[in-house]
Amino acid sequence: YSWIHFEGRNIDNLVKMVKFVDDYRAANPDQRLRTSVEVEKTRPELYPLMNVADVVFVSKEVAQQHGYYTAKEAVLGLKSRCRPEASLICAWGADGADAHSAQVGHVHCPAFPPPVLVDTLAAGDTFNAGVLYALE
């Protein structure tokens, strides 16, 4: 495998898992292993997770809790909480998604709604998977 994705839930265990992966990457610099984390819940104890991965997904709700009103505001405002080389991504529903990385800067992608919306179950997970697939 070349990518490990974490979801921000149990912070104590997640920090241990990320440290294990970081130690592995340090011992095996020839292997390309990327990490991502999703900070979806508005629980302040999860916010330090923004600084543990190569790609960070923050939810609209987390962004709003930090006082941001658009995805662009969120990625530009929260990027300082991430690793300097990390990409930060925030989806904003019908308004699309924005991202920021040191390599590319700010990027906006409009939403592409389906002709008929059947169900939104797992929409966020599907979005994250699509982004990770595209980045791989």
Side-chain angles (χ1 to χ4, degrees):
Y1 51 83
S2 60
W3 202 297
I4 299 176
H5 178 72
F6 299 99
E7 292 200 8
R9 296 181 193 236
N10 182 322
I11 190 163
D12 295 332
N13 287 331
L14 195 142
V15 167
K16 291 175 190 173
M17 289 185 276
V18 169
K19 181 175 179 347
F20 180 84
V21 172
D22 284 344
D23 290 346
Y24 177 85
R25 292 196 304 184
N28 300 279
D30 56 318
Q31 293 187 2
R32 185 171 177 243
L33 179 60
R34 298 174 74 186
T35 58
S36 55
V37 65
E38 179 184 26
V39 181
E40 179 183 18
K41 305 296 181 200
T42 55
R43 294 175 30 212
E45 67 272 18
L46 299 177
Y47 299 157
L49 296 177
M50 290 184 215
N51 192 33
V52 303
D54 302 314
V55 176
V56 179
F57 294 92
V58 294
S59 68
K60 179 179 179 179
E61 292 74 23
V62 168
Q64 289 174 323
Q65 188 175 49
H66 281 87
Y68 301 111
Y69 297 98
T70 67
K72 181 177 182 179
E73 286 180 9
V75 297
L76 296 177
L78 294 172
K79 68 182 181 177
S80 64
R81 291 176 167 256
C82 301
R83 293 178 175 177
E85 70 281 3
S87 297
L88 176 61
I89 301 164
C90 182
W92 211 269
D95 292 328
D98 286 64
H100 185 276
S101 72
Q103 301 85 355
V104 179
H106 172 258
V107 176
H108 172 76
C109 181
F112 295 94
V116 177
L117 181 61
V118 177
D119 192 345
T120 61
L121 182 66
D125 293 328
T126 303
F127 172 81
N128 293 350
V131 169
L132 297 180
Y133 179 77
L135 292 174
E136 182 57 25

